[in-house]
Amino acid sequence: MKKLLILGAGTAGTIMANKLSAELDKREWQITLVDKDETHHYQPGYLFIPFNIYTREDVVKPKRDFFPSGVDIIMSSIELIQPENNKVKLTNGQVLSYDILVLATGSSTRPEETEGLMNGAWRKNIFDFYTLDGAVALHNFLKYWQGGKLVINIVEMPIKCPVAPLEFSFLADWWFTEQGIRDKVDIEYVTPLPGAFTKPRAAQMLGDFLEKKNIKLVSEFAVARVDTTNNKLVSWDKREVPYDLLVTVPTNMGADIIANSGMGDDLNFVPTDPHTLQSKKHHNIFVIGDATDLPSSKAGSVAHFQADVLFENILRYIDDRQLAPHFDGHANCFIESGFGKGLLIDFNYDVEPLPGKYPLPGIGPFSLLQETKMNHWGKMMFRWVYWNLLLKGSELPIEAQMAMAGKRL
Ligand SMILES: Cc1cc2nc3c(=O)[nH]c(=O)nc-3n(C[C@H](O)[C@H](O)[C@H](O)COP(=O)(O)OP(=O)(O)OC[C@H]3O[C@@H](n4cnc5c(N)ncnc54)[C@H](O)[C@@H]3O)c2cc1C
């Protein structure tokens, strides 16, 4: 038996296990999936918890509900990867060998990387919504908050779902309006980027949205430390932003085992071929999802597009064929903009988000770079699509590669 080992059973690892187990001959290939947690989190749902739209129960399901039969499941932390020996050590004492390794260990937030962030104020007037516990704690705080200055801050890029902090800001504007206290809340969006987003046209449009919603944009602000005695953010160039309530998106990093195994960059992301998804160092290791060092967005939609390409390339690798350079950085993200509306962006490594219709050219039903109710429903429907189709590796009517049809230059 040959062995295919998948490390991480989150979005990307689960999709890959489903796709590969449906295709590989079980008499020849043993597929093993390793993860430390029994529960799968629908992370895009964290955004809605502070605003009482979703609860904890809406975003958590048992991981095992999504695993295909015939795959060996091991619930254990991974301790060390030894790529030179094709072996992986687990904390439960097992040592696994592999012929092909898929790294899908994701990324997580590291508030401890920023001086002051985890001081006594953490979860008192400093919150995050990139973890389930953080989102729930923030909801409990917002229920009783009477107003003041709310600062939403991205500590540094890259972060997963780069539009989520903008969505949080738009939803905060809506939520405080609903609570009748919008006039008592100043909202400030503080980002290390030169504008509201990375790509020029979307940055312009989303910047205009912030202005329209009376949310102040502070750009190119690289946080050096958080002064919790005086409630202010301090940048490396000595600028200060005071806050009453700080909602932070802390530094995002890849898994510690990537660093411990000497396989990552400064942020523990794995150097990966941007088009084939093969590890740059080891020919029998492939990387998918947030774990890669790629400049594509770290998003579930991207993991899904990558999975189509990686599936093809693992079959090619097994058949001793040249890998197909088919991943183009394709990402699409709904952007919840509050008051029952949303936007949609669709882009890749080379093409920035453009206006138009999606997925059917000229028809939609979704509109690109335009605020519509239908886009909001698309965002809300994504949870059903995620649990019922995406994780199971089902075919979706969307190509892995970005299409220009339906877009206006
Ligand atoms: C607030 C928020 C909003 C988001 N919104 C969207 C959105 O609207 N649309 C979208 O497409 N994406 C969104 N995302 C991003 C999306 O959730 C992630 O990009 C996606 O889940 C990445 O999948 P992954 O498989 O790479 O990582 P994950 O799903 O995080 O899986 C990684 C897995 O590896 C396991 N693991 C890690 N280290 C170890 C170890 N040492 N031992 C054992 N197991 C280990 C973990 O337990 C985990 O199960 C959002 C994320 C957040 C936080």
Side-chain angles (χ1 to χ4, degrees), residues 7-15 34-48 63 74-80 90-91 103-110 129-131 135 159-165 167 249 252 254-258 288-292 297-304 306 332-335 379 382 386 390-391:
L7 299 184
T11 313
T14 306
I15 300 174
V34 182
D35 202 291
K36 58 184 163 48
D37 292 327
E38 286 279 357
T39 47
H40 190 111
H41 290 199
Y42 172 63
Q43 298 174 44
Y46 295 170
L47 170 71
F48 295 109
K63 277 200 162 105
I74 302 177
M75 286 295 167
S76 165
S77 267
I78 303 147
E79 194 179 305
L80 193 70
L90 306 184
T91 51
L103 289 177
T105 42
S107 65
S108 58
T109 50
R110 309 296 172 96
F129 67 98
Y130 266 54
T131 58
I159 56 169
K160 44 187 162 185
C161 195
V163 294
E167 296 180 280
V249 180
N252 282 213
D256 286 334
I257 43 136
I258 301 295
I288 182 167
D290 291 358
T292 72
S297 286
K298 296 193 183 298
S301 63
V302 175
H304 164 251
Q306 288 177 340
N332 65 28
C333 312
F334 287 105
I335 306 174
K379 176 96 188 177
F382 185 59
Y386 184 89
L390 192 131
L391 281 183

Coordinates of all heavy atoms in Angstrom, one line a residue, residues 7-15 34-48 63 74-80 90-91 103-110 129-131 135 159-165 167 249 252 254-258 288-292 297-304 306 332-335 379 382 386 390-391, ligand 1:
L7 N -2.3 16.4 6.5 CA -2.2 17.1 7.9 C -3.1 18.3 7.9 O -2.9 19.2 7.2 CB -0.7 17.5 8.1 CG 0.3 16.3 8.1 CD1 1.7 16.9 8.5 CD2 -0.1 15.2 9.1
G8 N -4.0 18.2 8.9 CA -5.0 19.3 9.0 C -6.3 18.9 8.3 O -6.3 18.7 7.1
A9 N -7.4 18.8 9.1 CA -8.7 18.5 8.6 C -9.7 19.7 8.8 O -10.7 19.6 9.4 CB -9.2 17.2 9.2
G10 N -9.2 20.9 8.4 CA -10.1 22.0 8.3 C -10.7 22.1 6.9 O -11.0 21.1 6.3
T11 N -10.9 23.3 6.4 CA -11.6 23.4 5.1 C -10.8 22.7 4.0 O -11.4 21.8 3.3 CB -11.6 24.9 4.7 OG1 -12.1 25.7 5.8 CG2 -12.6 25.2 3.6
A12 N -9.5 23.0 3.9 CA -8.8 22.4 2.7 C -8.5 20.9 2.9 O -8.7 20.2 1.9 CB -7.5 23.2 2.6
G13 N -8.1 20.5 4.1 CA -7.8 19.1 4.3 C -9.1 18.2 4.1 O -9.0 17.1 3.5
T14 N -10.2 18.7 4.5 CA -11.4 17.9 4.4 C -11.8 17.8 2.9 O -12.2 16.7 2.5 CB -12.6 18.6 5.2 OG1 -12.1 18.7 6.6 CG2 -13.8 17.7 5.2
I15 N -11.7 18.9 2.2 CA -12.1 18.9 0.8 C -11.1 17.9 0.1 O -11.6 17.0 -0.7 CB -11.9 20.2 0.1 CG1 -12.9 21.3 0.7 CG2 -12.2 20.2 -1.4 CD1 -12.7 22.7 0.2
V34 N -5.1 13.7 9.6 CA -4.8 14.0 11.0 C -5.2 15.4 11.4 O -5.0 16.3 10.7 CB -3.2 13.9 11.2 CG1 -2.9 14.1 12.7 CG2 -2.7 12.6 10.8
D35 N -5.9 15.5 12.5 CA -6.2 16.8 13.1 C -6.3 16.7 14.6 O -6.5 15.6 15.2 CB -7.5 17.3 12.5 CG -7.6 18.8 12.7 OD1 -7.7 19.3 13.8 OD2 -7.6 19.5 11.6
K36 N -6.1 17.8 15.3 CA -6.1 17.8 16.8 C -7.5 18.0 17.3 O -7.7 17.8 18.5 CB -5.1 18.9 17.3 CG -5.4 20.3 16.9 CD -4.3 21.2 17.4 CE -4.2 22.5 16.8 NZ -5.4 23.3 16.6
D37 N -8.4 18.6 16.5 CA -9.7 19.0 17.1 C -10.8 18.1 16.5 O -10.8 17.9 15.3 CB -10.0 20.4 16.8 CG -9.1 21.3 17.6 OD1 -8.7 21.0 18.7 OD2 -8.7 22.4 17.1
E38 N -11.8 17.8 17.3 CA -12.9 17.0 16.8 C -14.0 17.9 16.1 O -14.8 17.4 15.4 CB -13.6 16.3 18.0 CG -12.9 15.1 18.5 CD -13.1 13.8 17.7 OE1 -13.9 13.9 16.8 OE2 -12.5 12.8 18.0
T39 N -13.9 19.2 16.4 CA -15.0 20.1 15.8 C -14.5 20.9 14.7 O -13.4 21.4 14.7 CB -15.6 21.0 16.9 OG1 -14.5 21.6 17.6 CG2 -16.5 20.3 17.9
H40 N -15.4 21.1 13.7 CA -15.1 21.9 12.5 C -15.8 23.3 12.7 O -17.0 23.3 13.1 CB -15.6 21.3 11.2 CG -15.1 22.0 10.0 ND1 -14.2 21.4 9.1 CD2 -15.4 23.2 9.5 CE1 -14.0 22.3 8.2 NE2 -14.7 23.4 8.4
H41 N -15.0 24.3 12.6 CA -15.6 25.7 12.7 C -15.8 26.3 11.3 O -14.9 26.3 10.5 CB -14.7 26.6 13.5 CG -14.6 26.2 14.9 ND1 -14.1 27.1 15.9 CD2 -14.9 25.1 15.6 CE1 -14.1 26.5 17.1 NE2 -14.6 25.3 16.9
Y42 N -17.0 26.8 11.1 CA -17.3 27.6 9.9 C -16.8 29.0 10.3 O -17.6 29.8 10.8 CB -18.8 27.5 9.6 CG -19.2 28.5 8.5 CD1 -18.7 28.3 7.2 CD2 -20.1 29.5 8.7 CE1 -19.1 29.2 6.2 CE2 -20.5 30.4 7.7 CZ -20.0 30.2 6.5 OH -20.4 31.1 5.5
Q43 N -15.5 29.3 10.0 CA -14.9 30.5 10.4 C -15.6 31.8 9.8 O -15.7 32.8 10.5 CB -13.4 30.5 10.1 CG -12.7 29.4 10.9 CD -11.2 29.3 10.4 OE1 -10.5 30.3 10.3 NE2 -10.7 28.1 10.2
P44 N -16.1 31.7 8.6 CA -16.7 33.0 8.1 C -17.9 33.4 9.0 O -18.3 34.6 9.0 CB -17.2 32.5 6.7 CG -16.3 31.5 6.2 CD -15.9 30.7 7.5
G45 N -18.5 32.4 9.7 CA -19.6 32.8 10.6 C -19.2 33.5 11.8 O -20.1 34.2 12.5
Y46 N -17.9 33.5 12.2 CA -17.5 34.3 13.4 C -17.9 35.8 13.2 O -18.2 36.4 14.2 CB -16.0 34.3 13.5 CG -15.3 32.9 13.8 CD1 -13.9 32.8 13.8 CD2 -16.0 31.8 14.2 CE1 -13.3 31.6 14.1 CE2 -15.4 30.6 14.4 CZ -14.0 30.5 14.4 OH -13.4 29.3 14.7
L47 N -17.8 36.3 12.0 CA -18.1 37.7 11.7 C -19.5 38.1 12.3 O -19.7 39.2 12.7 CB -18.1 37.9 10.2 CG -18.6 39.3 9.7 CD1 -17.7 40.4 10.1 CD2 -18.8 39.2 8.2
F48 N -20.5 37.2 12.2 CA -21.9 37.5 12.5 C -22.2 37.4 14.0 O -23.2 37.8 14.5 CB -22.8 36.6 11.7 CG -22.7 36.9 10.2 CD1 -22.1 36.0 9.4 CD2 -23.2 38.1 9.7 CE1 -22.0 36.3 8.0 CE2 -23.1 38.4 8.4 CZ -22.5 37.5 7.5
K63 N -16.3 17.3 13.1 CA -15.5 17.1 11.9 C -15.9 15.8 11.2 O -15.9 15.7 10.0 CB -14.0 17.1 12.3 CG -13.4 18.4 12.4 CD -11.9 18.4 12.3 CE -11.3 19.8 12.0 NZ -10.7 20.4 13.1
I74 N -7.0 10.2 12.3 CA -6.3 10.2 13.6 C -6.5 11.5 14.3 O -6.2 12.6 13.7 CB -4.8 9.9 13.4 CG1 -4.6 8.6 12.7 CG2 -4.0 9.9 14.7 CD1 -3.1 8.3 12.3
M75 N -7.1 11.5 15.4 CA -7.3 12.8 16.2 C -6.1 12.9 17.2 O -6.1 12.3 18.2 CB -8.6 12.8 16.9 CG -9.8 13.0 16.0 SD -9.7 14.6 15.3 CE -11.0 14.4 14.0
S76 N -5.1 13.7 16.8 CA -3.9 13.9 17.6 C -3.2 15.2 17.1 O -3.4 15.6 15.9 CB -3.0 12.8 17.5 OG -1.7 13.1 18.0
S77 N -2.5 15.9 18.0 CA -1.7 17.0 17.6 C -0.5 16.4 16.8 O 0.0 15.3 17.1 CB -1.1 17.7 18.7 OG -2.0 18.8 19.0
I78 N 0.0 17.2 15.8 CA 1.2 16.8 15.1 C 2.3 17.4 15.8 O 2.3 18.6 16.2 CB 1.1 17.3 13.6 CG1 -0.2 16.8 12.9 CG2 2.3 16.9 12.8 CD1 -0.8 17.8 12.0
E79 N 3.4 16.7 16.0 CA 4.5 17.2 16.7 C 5.7 17.7 15.8 O 6.2 18.8 15.9 CB 5.1 16.1 17.6 CG 6.0 16.7 18.7 CD 6.5 15.6 19.6 OE1 5.7 14.9 20.2 OE2 7.7 15.4 19.7
L80 N 6.0 16.9 14.8 CA 7.1 17.2 13.9 C 7.0 16.5 12.5 O 6.5 15.4 12.5 CB 8.4 16.7 14.6 CG 9.7 17.2 14.0 CD1 9.9 18.6 14.3 CD2 10.9 16.3 14.6
L90 N 3.5 12.3 15.7 CA 2.4 12.8 16.4 C 2.6 12.9 17.9 O 3.4 12.1 18.4 CB 1.1 12.0 16.1 CG 0.8 11.7 14.7 CD1 -0.5 10.9 14.5 CD2 0.7 13.0 13.9
T91 N 1.9 13.7 18.6 CA 2.1 13.8 20.1 C 1.5 12.6 20.8 O 1.9 12.4 21.9 CB 1.4 15.1 20.7 OG1 0.1 15.1 20.2 CG2 2.1 16.4 20.2
L103 N 0.0 19.3 3.1 CA -0.1 20.2 4.3 C -1.3 21.1 4.2 O -1.4 21.9 3.3 CB 1.2 21.0 4.3 CG 2.5 20.3 4.6 CD1 3.7 21.3 4.5 CD2 2.5 19.7 6.0
A104 N -2.2 21.0 5.2 CA -3.4 21.8 5.2 C -3.6 22.3 6.6 O -4.7 22.2 7.2 CB -4.6 21.0 4.7
T105 N -2.5 22.8 7.3 CA -2.6 23.1 8.7 C -3.0 24.5 9.0 O -3.0 24.9 10.1 CB -1.2 22.8 9.4 OG1 -0.2 23.3 8.5 CG2 -1.0 21.3 9.6
G106 N -3.4 25.3 7.9 CA -4.1 26.6 8.1 C -3.2 27.6 8.8 O -2.0 27.6 8.8
S107 N -3.9 28.6 9.3 CA -3.3 29.7 10.0 C -4.1 30.1 11.2 O -5.3 29.8 11.3 CB -3.1 30.9 9.1 OG -4.3 31.5 8.7
S108 N -3.5 30.8 12.2 CA -4.3 31.2 13.4 C -3.8 32.6 13.8 O -2.7 33.0 13.4 CB -4.2 30.2 14.5 OG -2.9 30.0 14.8
T109 N -4.5 33.2 14.7 CA -4.1 34.6 15.2 C -3.2 34.4 16.4 O -3.3 33.5 17.2 CB -5.4 35.4 15.6 OG1 -6.2 34.6 16.4 CG2 -6.2 35.8 14.4
R110 N -2.3 35.4 16.5 CA -1.2 35.4 17.5 C -1.2 36.7 18.2 O -0.3 37.5 17.9 CB 0.1 35.0 17.0 CG 0.2 33.8 16.1 CD -0.1 32.6 16.9 NE -0.2 31.4 16.0 CZ 0.8 30.6 15.8 NH1 1.9 30.7 16.4 NH2 0.6 29.6 14.9
F129 N -12.4 39.0 16.8 CA -13.5 38.1 16.3 C -13.0 37.1 15.4 O -13.8 36.4 14.7 CB -14.7 39.0 15.7 CG -14.2 39.6 14.4 CD1 -14.6 39.1 13.2 CD2 -13.5 40.8 14.4 CE1 -14.2 39.6 11.9 CE2 -13.1 41.4 13.1 CZ -13.5 40.8 11.9
Y130 N -11.7 36.8 15.3 CA -11.1 35.8 14.5 C -11.0 34.4 15.2 O -10.5 33.5 14.6 CB -9.7 36.2 14.0 CG -9.8 36.9 12.6 CD1 -10.6 38.0 12.4 CD2 -9.0 36.5 11.6 CE1 -10.7 38.6 11.2 CE2 -9.1 37.1 10.3 CZ -9.9 38.1 10.1 OH -10.0 38.7 8.9
T131 N -11.5 34.4 16.4 CA -11.7 33.1 17.1 C -13.1 33.0 17.6 O -13.8 34.0 17.8 CB -10.7 33.0 18.4 OG1 -11.1 34.1 19.2 CG2 -9.3 33.1 18.0
A135 N -15.2 36.0 19.4 CA -16.5 36.6 18.8 C -17.6 36.5 19.8 O -18.4 37.5 19.9 CB -16.8 35.8 17.5
I159 N -3.6 38.5 6.4 CA -4.6 37.9 7.3 C -5.6 37.1 6.5 O -5.7 37.3 5.3 CB -5.4 39.0 8.1 CG1 -6.1 39.9 7.1 CG2 -4.5 39.8 9.0 CD1 -7.1 40.9 7.8
K160 N -6.2 36.1 7.2 CA -7.2 35.4 6.5 C -8.4 36.2 6.2 O -8.7 37.1 7.0 CB -7.5 34.0 7.1 CG -7.8 34.0 8.6 CD -7.9 32.5 9.0 CE -7.7 32.3 10.4 NZ -7.8 30.9 10.8
C161 N -9.1 36.0 5.2 CA -10.2 36.8 4.7 C -10.0 38.3 4.9 O -10.5 38.9 5.8 CB -11.5 36.4 5.5 SG -13.0 37.1 4.7
P162 N -9.2 38.9 4.1 CA -8.8 40.3 4.3 C -9.9 41.3 4.2 O -9.8 42.4 4.6 CB -7.8 40.5 3.1 CG -7.7 39.3 2.3 CD -8.5 38.2 2.9
V163 N -11.1 40.8 3.8 CA -12.2 41.8 3.8 C -13.0 41.7 5.1 O -13.9 42.6 5.4 CB -13.2 41.6 2.6 CG1 -12.6 41.9 1.3 CG2 -13.8 40.2 2.6
A164 N -12.8 40.7 6.0 CA -13.6 40.5 7.2 C -13.5 41.7 8.1 O -14.6 42.1 8.6 CB -13.2 39.3 7.9
P165 N -12.4 42.4 8.3 CA -12.4 43.6 9.2 C -13.2 44.7 8.6 O -13.9 45.5 9.4 CB -10.9 44.0 9.3 CG -10.1 42.8 8.8 CD -11.0 42.0 7.9
E167 N -15.9 44.2 6.7 CA -17.3 43.8 6.9 C -17.7 44.1 8.4 O -18.8 44.5 8.7 CB -17.4 42.3 6.7 CG -17.2 41.9 5.2 CD -17.3 40.4 5.0 OE1 -16.4 39.7 5.3 OE2 -18.4 40.0 4.6
V249 N -7.5 42.6 14.8 CA -7.2 41.4 14.0 C -5.7 41.2 14.2 O -4.8 41.8 13.6 CB -7.5 41.5 12.5 CG1 -7.2 40.2 11.8 CG2 -9.0 41.9 12.3
N252 N -1.5 37.0 11.9 CA -1.9 35.7 11.5 C -0.6 34.9 11.2 O 0.3 35.4 10.5 CB -2.8 35.7 10.3 CG -4.2 36.1 10.5 OD1 -5.1 35.6 9.9 ND2 -4.5 37.0 11.5
G254 N 1.1 30.8 10.3 CA 0.9 29.3 10.1 C 1.2 28.5 11.4 O 1.7 29.1 12.4
A255 N 1.0 27.2 11.3 CA 1.1 26.3 12.5 C 2.5 26.3 13.0 O 3.5 26.3 12.2 CB 0.6 25.0 12.1
D256 N 2.6 26.1 14.3 CA 4.0 26.0 14.9 C 4.8 24.9 14.4 O 6.0 24.9 14.3 CB 3.8 25.9 16.4 CG 3.4 27.3 17.1 OD1 3.7 28.3 16.4 OD2 2.8 27.3 18.1
I257 N 4.1 23.7 14.1 CA 4.9 22.6 13.6 C 5.6 22.9 12.3 O 6.6 22.3 12.0 CB 4.0 21.3 13.4 CG1 2.7 21.7 12.7 CG2 3.8 20.5 14.6 CD1 2.4 20.7 11.6
I258 N 5.1 23.8 11.5 CA 5.8 24.2 10.3 C 7.1 24.8 10.7 O 8.2 24.5 10.1 CB 4.9 25.2 9.5 CG1 3.6 24.6 9.1 CG2 5.7 25.7 8.3 CD1 3.6 23.4 8.2
I288 N -1.8 23.5 0.7 CA -3.1 24.1 0.3 C -3.7 24.9 1.4 O -3.4 24.7 2.6 CB -4.0 22.9 -0.1 CG1 -5.4 23.5 -0.6 CG2 -4.3 21.9 1.0 CD1 -6.3 22.5 -1.4
G289 N -4.4 25.9 1.0 CA -5.2 26.7 2.0 C -4.3 27.8 2.6 O -3.3 28.2 2.1
D290 N -4.7 28.1 3.8 CA -4.0 29.2 4.6 C -2.5 28.9 4.8 O -1.7 29.8 5.1 CB -4.6 29.5 5.9 CG -6.0 30.1 5.8 OD1 -6.4 30.3 4.6 OD2 -6.7 30.3 6.8
A291 N -2.1 27.6 4.8 CA -0.8 27.2 5.1 C 0.3 27.7 4.1 O 1.5 27.8 4.4 CB -0.7 25.7 5.3
T292 N -0.1 28.0 2.9 CA 0.8 28.4 1.9 C 1.3 29.8 2.1 O 0.7 30.6 2.8 CB 0.2 28.4 0.5 OG1 -0.7 29.5 0.4 CG2 -0.6 27.2 0.1
S297 N -5.6 35.3 -1.6 CA -6.2 35.5 -0.3 C -6.3 34.2 0.4 O -6.4 33.1 -0.1 CB -7.7 36.0 -0.6 OG -7.7 37.3 -1.0
K298 N -6.2 34.4 1.8 CA -6.4 33.2 2.6 C -7.9 33.1 2.9 O -8.4 33.8 3.8 CB -5.6 33.3 3.9 CG -4.1 33.4 3.6 CD -3.2 33.2 4.9 CE -1.7 33.3 4.6 NZ -1.2 32.3 3.6
A299 N -8.5 32.2 2.1 CA -10.0 32.2 2.2 C -10.5 30.8 1.9 O -9.8 30.0 1.1 CB -10.7 33.2 1.3
G300 N -11.6 30.4 2.4 CA -12.2 29.1 2.1 C -12.5 28.9 0.6 O -12.3 27.9 0.1
S301 N -12.9 30.0 0.0 CA -13.2 30.0 -1.5 C -11.9 29.6 -2.2 O -11.9 28.9 -3.2 CB -13.8 31.3 -1.9 OG -12.9 32.3 -1.8
V302 N -10.8 30.2 -1.8 CA -9.5 30.0 -2.4 C -9.1 28.5 -2.2 O -8.6 27.9 -3.1 CB -8.5 31.0 -1.9 CG1 -7.1 30.7 -2.5 CG2 -8.9 32.4 -2.2
A303 N -9.3 28.0 -1.0 CA -8.9 26.6 -0.7 C -9.7 25.7 -1.6 O -9.2 24.7 -2.1 CB -9.2 26.3 0.8
H304 N -11.0 26.1 -1.9 CA -11.8 25.3 -2.8 C -11.3 25.3 -4.2 O -11.2 24.3 -4.9 CB -13.2 25.8 -2.7 CG -14.1 25.3 -3.8 ND1 -14.6 26.1 -4.7 CD2 -14.6 24.1 -4.1 CE1 -15.3 25.4 -5.6 NE2 -15.3 24.2 -5.2
Q306 N -8.2 26.0 -5.1 CA -6.9 25.3 -5.0 C -7.1 23.8 -5.1 O -6.3 23.1 -5.7 CB -6.1 25.7 -3.8 CG -5.6 27.1 -3.8 CD -4.9 27.5 -2.5 OE1 -5.1 26.9 -1.5 NE2 -4.0 28.5 -2.6
N332 N -12.8 34.6 -4.7 CA -14.0 35.4 -4.7 C -14.6 35.5 -3.3 O -14.6 34.6 -2.5 CB -15.0 35.1 -5.7 CG -15.7 33.8 -5.6 OD1 -15.8 33.2 -4.6 ND2 -16.1 33.2 -6.8
C333 N -15.0 36.7 -2.9 CA -15.4 37.0 -1.5 C -16.7 37.9 -1.6 O -16.7 39.0 -2.2 CB -14.4 37.8 -0.8 SG -12.7 37.1 -0.9
F334 N -17.7 37.5 -0.9 CA -18.8 38.4 -0.6 C -18.4 39.3 0.5 O -17.7 38.9 1.4 CB -20.0 37.6 -0.1 CG -20.7 36.8 -1.2 CD1 -20.6 35.4 -1.3 CD2 -21.5 37.4 -2.1 CE1 -21.2 34.7 -2.3 CE2 -22.1 36.7 -3.2 CZ -22.0 35.4 -3.2
I335 N -18.8 40.5 0.4 CA -18.5 41.5 1.4 C -19.8 42.1 2.0 O -20.5 42.8 1.3 CB -17.7 42.7 0.9 CG1 -16.4 42.2 0.1 CG2 -17.3 43.7 2.0 CD1 -15.6 43.2 -0.6
K379 N -24.0 35.8 0.5 CA -23.1 35.7 1.7 C -23.8 34.7 2.7 O -23.2 33.9 3.3 CB -22.9 37.0 2.3 CG -22.1 37.0 3.6 CD -20.7 37.3 3.4 CE -19.8 37.1 4.6 NZ -18.4 37.3 4.4
F382 N -23.8 31.1 1.7 CA -22.5 30.5 1.6 C -22.4 29.4 2.7 O -21.7 28.4 2.6 CB -21.4 31.5 1.7 CG -20.0 31.0 1.5 CD1 -19.6 30.3 0.4 CD2 -19.0 31.1 2.5 CE1 -18.3 29.8 0.2 CE2 -17.8 30.6 2.4 CZ -17.4 30.0 1.2
Y386 N -21.2 25.8 2.1 CA -20.0 25.3 2.8 C -20.2 24.0 3.4 O -19.5 23.0 3.2 CB -19.6 26.4 3.8 CG -18.3 26.1 4.6 CD1 -17.1 26.5 4.1 CD2 -18.2 25.4 5.8 CE1 -15.9 26.3 4.7 CE2 -17.1 25.1 6.4 CZ -15.9 25.6 5.9 OH -14.7 25.4 6.6
L390 N -19.3 22.3 -0.4 CA -17.9 22.7 -0.5 C -17.0 21.7 0.3 O -16.1 21.1 -0.3 CB -17.7 24.1 0.0 CG -16.3 24.8 -0.2 CD1 -16.5 26.2 -0.8 CD2 -15.5 24.9 1.1
L391 N -17.3 21.4 1.6 CA -16.5 20.5 2.4 C -16.4 19.1 1.8 O -15.5 18.4 1.9 CB -17.0 20.5 3.8 CG -16.6 21.6 4.7 CD1 -17.1 21.4 6.1 CD2 -15.1 21.9 4.8
Ligands
LIG1 C1 -13.5 36.0 10.8 C2 -13.3 35.2 9.6 C3 -14.1 35.4 8.5 C4 -13.8 34.6 7.3 N1 -14.7 34.9 6.2 C5 -14.5 34.1 5.1 C6 -15.4 34.3 4.0 O1 -16.3 35.1 4.0 N2 -15.2 33.5 2.9 C7 -14.1 32.6 2.8 O2 -14.0 32.0 1.8 N3 -13.2 32.5 3.8 C8 -13.4 33.2 5.0 N4 -12.5 33.0 6.0 C9 -11.3 32.3 5.9 C10 -11.5 30.8 5.9 O3 -12.2 30.3 7.0 C11 -10.1 30.1 5.9 O4 -9.3 30.7 4.9 C12 -10.2 28.6 5.7 O5 -10.9 28.0 6.7 C13 -8.7 28.0 5.5 O6 -8.8 26.6 5.4 P1 -7.5 25.8 5.9 O7 -8.0 24.4 5.7 O8 -6.3 26.3 5.2 O9 -7.3 26.1 7.4 P2 -8.3 25.6 8.6 O10 -9.7 25.4 8.1 O11 -8.1 26.6 9.7 O12 -7.8 24.2 9.0 C14 -6.5 24.0 9.6 C15 -6.6 22.7 10.4 O13 -5.3 22.3 10.8 C16 -5.4 21.7 12.1 N5 -4.0 21.8 12.7 C17 -3.2 22.9 12.8 N6 -2.1 22.6 13.5 C18 -2.2 21.3 13.9 C19 -1.4 20.5 14.6 N7 -0.2 20.8 15.1 N8 -1.8 19.2 14.9 C20 -3.0 18.8 14.4 N9 -3.8 19.6 13.6 C21 -3.4 20.8 13.4 C22 -6.4 22.6 12.8 O14 -6.9 22.0 13.9 C23 -7.4 22.9 11.7 O15 -8.5 21.9 11.7 C24 -12.8 33.7 7.2 C25 -12.0 33.5 8.4 C26 -12.2 34.2 9.5 C27 -11.4 34.0 10.8

